[in-house]
């Protein structure tokens, strides 16, 4: 019996699947189409409840009052039920009732059409934004994918020297965390209590975070204030409404901030500990068709020496953003009062909070596109600007990214994890081949060394003073680069001879390039463009300082022509202003703090990395491993290959007799050229041009040349009267049929427009990805080829015998079999086999 | 010449499987031919080994060879009769684009038995199928990086494609990707519209048949049912296309960067491998200054028995 009941229930549920599950994405699309057709789910004529209510308020005051149900009756053309006056109970005049029904149908249809248009536009915009907005829980998440790749490939303890911050992912608290569960439930309940319209508005309102809306994120411009046309009681009332518990509203802001606070308490237990610039992301908080999101962001301390500030936010997003904030139909201030509107949507203004989300602030709308020095800074290179063009991007030129190897590969990248604890610090110090000591003095006298020299104790003492042109931070970077050259050298080694200006220029240019690049990245040369001179470039800075360091009277010893005196003054002035704000020498030499990761990176470059007795710690990334490998190769070159006694007598001589029997050089990577650094540009947006295209298409459909205004291309309704037919009946029928003639091209254009829009959108993508993706593609291809080549290398399993080995030993060796055969002596003298 | 190489007997052809479709007839014929040839060669070898070459046996074997040789011809003849065209390898026995008519493959009559109205049944079948496919599309996907970054189609999409003419052949489904959802759904919509149009074409007779079975009232029921069904068909023709258009507009925009995302996911996976490889290489490179130039003084010092070395 029980089984039969179970089977019966299962059959009922199976037969009516809508009972078992909530509306799916497709079902919601179907509902929207049904609403457009003025039908409900049961295919009965009907409109949304709020539209029906609105229609009852907008009919003429002289008309008989109707209820929301009455609107449905009018749509269903139930004459008997509708055409009875609800107040008097008497039947209406049938002629009046017919026109009344038609008016109601027109009102309801027009309002529903507007709402459908809003939803369609929302759908199109959302579909393009969804893959790139970076919110958790998306099927396609390009921003997080990019970041993940950068994390895997990056070199450095932090993502870059610019302190852009590292993105981390953390799980949400598990089910055992009752506090967390309660907070989520509270938020869910608050959302459920809102009306459908308010719920929609609330999600959009907190899409950039509750703390941002509450003006608690001071690091960003404050959110926009409501203008007079957006106050409560207007059709834009929901755009600026807050659900903060005031005026009897649900307190969504508190619920969201509590979620953020709860996760913030975990932040101090993270391993490795959070550092400035770190951003911690959490998975989506599932709230039905809504997604909750939280992230933490570590900001610099408010004052020097203070603790870093943990900021971040918590907000809401749609899983599938299908419903926009439609114009309000009823006043929030005075319930029941219909709003007639006409001022929707508002003009777009900056400051809507788009750039507060970590992924979004890296996008083209929130920061200028950087062009390398020497590349023309054009938002869209090679495209002539046409009227009506909207350029979505800004451009900044002069950015120089140095990747050439110097005395130490990765020298200005903080790729090693700083030693933790006294024991590790002690061990690290013992592994350094030298110790750089900065002496902070008011002025450096003639006895104080400004050019580094390594003494017998392995110490390099450098006098640092605030009177130098470069601020202390950059001055110390320069000194550390010079010190790296001396660190492994014997005590007393000079960097360059006193009269060897060529060597001086080479060494100083290299050191000042690092310092000047840091100056430029920190924006100290921004806004230095004048009517005569362009903005100070990296090259200007390097030339000026190298000349100053090596010149003895002349000004252009390291350059082909002297640096413009005006330019020199500009550089000194720009750096002079920066010195006022920069950290002092004492603060920078504090060993317990690393105020700038670039400085720490240069200090790490002094360590003897490849010493088997020294431990090196770094995050497991491809770039860091390559830094380590590169450093070891560099040390190998520097310390072993050029040992005295092993150098060939003349060029191309063999150092050893079996060099010639070595396998041919596979010449991997010999013909590979890294792709040039090309500027990224985003194509211009030309809505006016698109409208012109549609107008032209409308004229083409009607077989006419383009006209302005395009409405002139519509079928001329009066043409039949100019050339009448034989009978008036034929004329009348033809005039009636003209409605179809007019409707047909309009429908065609309606179908054409989305396709045209899609193609325009695709073209924007293609033009962008063609440039942006090419460099990545080429680098990936080169990496793939190199790694593929590495697998082809055959390593020998035995060492070659040393010079003096007998023929037997040579014969026994695989690699040297050929030479062994040629040098074998008939006397049979043998030598013992070499030790492995 | 058949059986000229006795060593080929070591490879016995597999047992021929039963024919499941017209396309497999040729394969079956070939298989049978191969097995018969194998048996003939085996028999000849036995005969040769036992030296029992009698005239009767020769005649028997010749006759059998002739019979076997006629099998492919017979099969080709049968398929020509049965399908109206000769069977050729790679040629499909049905058109890629099906006729515009109701399809029992796409809309099996046994589904939704509880719904008696044929238009409602078709509608329920169509909308629930599309809904399940779209839902599956919005879930995390499976990417095969080793197959040219192919997004494996969901089970729902594959199942539907298998019912539609362009992908009915399993060979045609091998390259199907999840990103083909638009094409498959549009073809499904075409089949659905064809089914609705067929219903509209045969509506008078089908309504008459249904009303006669279920009602005794007669003409009024007939007209009401006819009107209702006609209205439903018109509504469905608009509703289905418009809803799918909206759905694909959204999915199309969303999927525009999906191939890029899939490629990046594969790059991400390979990056993990590269990271592991380089981690190991970094470990090894700690010894690089010693191994790089092993012929220098850093080489292990010789022991006492190695003499001058």
């Amino acid at each position: 019996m029980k089984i039969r009941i179970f089977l019966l229930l299962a059959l009922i549920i199976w037969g009516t699947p809508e009972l078992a599950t909530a509306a799916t994405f497709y079902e919601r699309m179907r509902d929207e189409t049904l609403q457009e057709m003025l039908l409900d789910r049961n295919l009965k004529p009907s409109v949304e409840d709020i539209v029906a209510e609105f229609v009852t308020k907008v009919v003429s005051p002289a008309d008989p009052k109707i209820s929301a149900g009455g609107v449905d009756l009018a749509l269903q053309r139930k004459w008997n039920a509708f055409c009875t006056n609800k107040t008097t109970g008497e039947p209406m005049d049938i002629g009046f009732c017919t026109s009344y029904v038609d008016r109601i149908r027109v009102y309801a249809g027009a309002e529903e059409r507007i709402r459908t248009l809003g939803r369609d536009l929302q759908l199109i915009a959302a579909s393009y934004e969804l893959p790139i907005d970076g919110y958790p829980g998306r099927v396609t998440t390009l921003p997080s994918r990019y970041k993940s790749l950068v994390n895997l490939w990056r070199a450095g303890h932090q993502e870059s020297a610019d302190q852009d911050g590292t993105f981390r992912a953390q799980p949400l608290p598990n089910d055992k965390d009752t506090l967390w569960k309660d907070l989520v439930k509270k938020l869910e309940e608050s959302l459920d209590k809102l009306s459908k319209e308010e719920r929609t508005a609330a999600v959009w309102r907190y899409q950039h975070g509750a703390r941002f809306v509450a003006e608690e994120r001071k690091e960003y411009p404050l959110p926009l204030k409501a203008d007079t046309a957006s106050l409560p009681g207007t059709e834009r009332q929901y755009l600026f409404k807050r659900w903060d518990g005031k005026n009897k509203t649900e307190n969504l802001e508190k619920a969201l901030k509590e979620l953020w606070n709860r996760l913030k308490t975990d932040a101090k237990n993270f391993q490795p500990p959070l550092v400035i610039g770190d951003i911690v992301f959490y998975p989506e908080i599932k709230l039905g068709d809504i997604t909750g999101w939280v992230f933490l962001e570590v900001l610099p301390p408010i004052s020097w020496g203070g603790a870093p500030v943990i900021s971040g936010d918590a907000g809401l997003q749609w899983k599938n953003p299908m419903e926009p904030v439609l114009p309000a139909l009823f006043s929030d201030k005075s319930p029941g009062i219909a709003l007639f509107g006409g001022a929707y949507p508002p003009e777009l203004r900056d400051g809507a909070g788009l750039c507060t989300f970590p992924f979004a602030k890296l996008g083209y709308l929130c920061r200028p596109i950087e062009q390398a020095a020497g590349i023309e800074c054009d938002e869209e290179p090679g495209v002539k600007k046409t009227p009506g063009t909207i350029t979505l991007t800004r451009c900044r030129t002069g950015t120089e990214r140095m990747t050439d190897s110097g005395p130490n590969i990765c020298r200005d990248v903080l790729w090693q994890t700083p030693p933790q604890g006294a024991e590790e610090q002690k061990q690290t110090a013992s592994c350094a081949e030298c110790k750089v000591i900065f002496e902070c003095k008011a002025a450096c006298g003639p006895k104080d060394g400004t050019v580094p020299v390594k003494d017998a104790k392995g110490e390099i003492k450098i006098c640092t003073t605030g009177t130098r042109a470069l601020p202390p931070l950059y001055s110390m970077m320069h000194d550390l680069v010079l010190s790296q050259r001396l660190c492994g050298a014997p005590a007393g080694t000079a960097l360059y001879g006193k009269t060897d200006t060529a060597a001086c220029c080479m060494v100083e240019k290299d050191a000042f390039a690092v310092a000047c690049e840091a100056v430029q990245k920190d924006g100290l040369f921004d806004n230095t463009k004048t009517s005569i001179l362009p903005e100070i470039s990296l090259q200007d800075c390097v030339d000026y300082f190298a000349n100053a360091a090596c010149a003895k009277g002349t000004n252009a010893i390291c350059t082909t022509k002297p640096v413009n005196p005006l330019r020199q003054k500009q550089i000194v002035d720009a750096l002079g202003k920066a010195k006022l704000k920069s950290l002092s020498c004492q603060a920078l030499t504090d060993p317990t703090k690393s105020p700038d990761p670039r400085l720490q990176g240069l200090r790490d470059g002094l360590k003897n990395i490849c010493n088997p007795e020294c431990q090196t710690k770094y995050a497991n990334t491809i770039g860091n491993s390559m830094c380590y490998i590169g450093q070891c190769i560099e040390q190998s070159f520097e310390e072993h290959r050029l040992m005295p006694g092993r150098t060939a007598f003349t060029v191309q001589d063999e150092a050893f007799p079996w060099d010639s029997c070595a396998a041919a050089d596979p010449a991997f990577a010999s013909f590979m050229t890294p792709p040039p650094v090309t500027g990224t540009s985003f194509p211009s947006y030309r809505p006016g041009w698109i409208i012109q295209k549609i107008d032209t298409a409308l004229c083409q459909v009607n077989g006419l040349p383009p006209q302005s205004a395009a409405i002139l291309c519509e079928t001329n309704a009066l043409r039949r009267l100019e050339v009448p037919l034989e009978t008036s009946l034929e004329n009348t029928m033809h005039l009636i049929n003209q409605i179809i003639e007019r409707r047909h091209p309009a429908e065609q254009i309606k179908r054409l427009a989305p396709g045209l829009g899609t193609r325009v959108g695709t073209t924007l993508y293609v033009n962008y990805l063609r440039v942006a993706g090419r460099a990545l593609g080429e680098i990936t291809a080169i990496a793939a080829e190199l790694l593929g080549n590495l697998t082809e290398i055959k390593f020998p399993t035995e060492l070659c015998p040393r010079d003096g080995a007998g023929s037997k030993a040579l014969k026994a060796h695989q690699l040297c079999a050929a030479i062994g055969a040629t040098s074998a002596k008939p006397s049979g003298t043998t030598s013992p086999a070499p030790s492995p | 010449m058949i059986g000229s190489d006795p060593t080929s007997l070591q490879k016995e052809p597999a047992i021929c499987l039963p024919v499941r479709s017209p396309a497999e007839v040729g394969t079956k014929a070939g298989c049978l031919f191969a097995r018969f040839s194998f048996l003939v060669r085996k028999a000849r070898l036995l005969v040769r080994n036992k030296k029992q070459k009698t005239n009767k046996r020769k005649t028997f074997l010749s006759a059998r060879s002739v019979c076997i040789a006629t099998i492919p011809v017979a099969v080709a003849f049968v398929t020509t009769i049965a399908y109206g065209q000769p069977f050729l390898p790679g040629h499909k026995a049905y058109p890629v684009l099906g006729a515009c008519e109701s399809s029992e493959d796409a809309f099996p009559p046994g589904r939704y038995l509880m719904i008696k109205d044929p238009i409602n049944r078709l509608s329920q079948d169509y909308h629930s199928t599309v809904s399940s496919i779209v839902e599956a599309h919005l879930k995390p996907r499976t990417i095969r990086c080793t197959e040219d970054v192919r997004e494996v189609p969901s089970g729902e999409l594959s199942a539907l494609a298998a019912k539609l003419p362009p992908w009915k052949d399993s060979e045609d489904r091998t390259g199907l990707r999840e990103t083909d959802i638009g094409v498959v759904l549009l073809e499904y919509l075409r089949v659905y519209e064809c089914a609705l149009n067929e219903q509209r074409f045969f509506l008078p007779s089908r309504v008459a048949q249904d009303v006669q079975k279920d009602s005794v009232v007669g003409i009024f029921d007939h007209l009401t049912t006819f009107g209702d069904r006609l209205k439903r068909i018109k509504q469905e023709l608009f509703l289905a296309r418009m809803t799918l258009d909206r759905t694909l507009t959204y999915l199309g925009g969303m999927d525009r960067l999906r191939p890029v995302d899939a490629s990046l996911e594969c790059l991400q996976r390979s990056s993990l491998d590269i990271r592991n490889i380089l981690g190991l290489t970094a470990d090894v490179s700690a010894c690089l200054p010693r191994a790089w130039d092993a012929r220098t003084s850093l080489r292990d010092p010789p022991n006492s028995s190695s003499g001058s070395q």
Side-chain angles (χ1 to χ4, degrees), chain A residues 11 14-15 17-18 23-27 29-34 36-37 39 43 45 116 120 122-124 126-128 130-132 139-142 144-146 148-149 151-153 319-322 610-612 618 620-623 625-626 628-629 632-633 635-637 639-643 646 656 658-659 750 754 758 761-762 765 769 776 780 783 787 799-806 809 831-836, chain B residues 110-115 120 123-124 126-132 134-135 137-141 143 231-232 234-236 238-303 305-309:
Chain A
L11 201 63
W14 176 70
E18 62 271 15
T24 63
F25 175 81
Y26 178 77
E27 283 164 357
M29 288 287 161
R30 187 167 170 251
D31 289 347
E32 193 186 322
T33 311
L34 286 169
E36 187 188 4
M37 295 166 73
L39 296 172
L43 303 172
T116 303
D120 278 348
Q122 170 63 48
L123 212 61
I124 293 167
S127 70
Y128 278 84
L130 219 59
I132 53 172
V139 179
T140 309
T141 52
L142 281 176
S144 55
R145 189 84 68 201
Y146 282 137
S148 175
L149 276 169
N151 271 350
L152 282 170
W153 281 86
K319 210 167 180 57
N320 288 302
M322 298 161 69
C610 275
N611 186 337
Y618 56 84
N620 185 14
T621 68
I622 293 170
S625 288
M626 291 181 93
Y628 185 86
I629 296 166
C632 287
I633 291 173
Q635 278 183 229
S636 174
F637 270 122
E639 295 168 18
H640 301 289
R641 183 63 176 169
L642 303 176
M643 281 190 69
R646 298 296 175 195
F656 296 93
W658 44 77
D659 273 3
K750 196 179 167 187
T758 306
T762 308
Y765 267 135
L769 289 173
L776 176 67
T780 311
L787 291 166
L799 298 177
C800 272
R802 296 188 67 193
D803 192 14
S831 299
S835 58
Chain B
R111 209 174 171 204
Y112 296 106
L113 282 172
M114 303 292 282
I115 304 172
N120 285 346
S123 164
Q124 179 68 34
Y126 169 79
H127 290 295
S128 63
T129 304
V130 176
S131 180
S132 64
V134 172
E135 281 304 296
H137 186 74
L138 294 173
K139 285 179 183 162
R141 67 250 168 102
I143 298 169
K231 192 175 162 191
R232 283 284 293 121
K234 284 180 181 173
Q235 280 175 342
E236 269 304 311
F238 180 83
L239 177 69
R241 187 159 280 275
M242 199 64 204
T243 307
L244 189 63
D245 189 34
R246 279 208 168 91
T247 307
L248 292 183
T249 299
Y250 183 79
L251 294 183
M254 207 173 74
D255 290 354
R256 207 154 293 273
L257 288 174
R258 205 162 153 136
V260 178
D261 190 55
S263 295
L264 288 179
E265 186 176 331
C266 290
L267 182 59
Q268 196 178 351
R269 289 186 203 170
S270 54
S271 297
L272 286 168
D273 292 340
I274 294 169
R275 189 178 69 169
N276 291 341
I277 292 165
L278 281 171
L280 292 170
T281 314
D283 274 352
V284 174
S285 71
C287 302
L288 196 58
R290 296 162 72 80
W292 185 258
D293 189 354
R295 296 161 291 194
T296 68
S297 61
L298 283 172
R299 195 165 178 274
D300 291 338
N303 55 35
S305 62
S306 58
S308 62
Q309 299 169 46

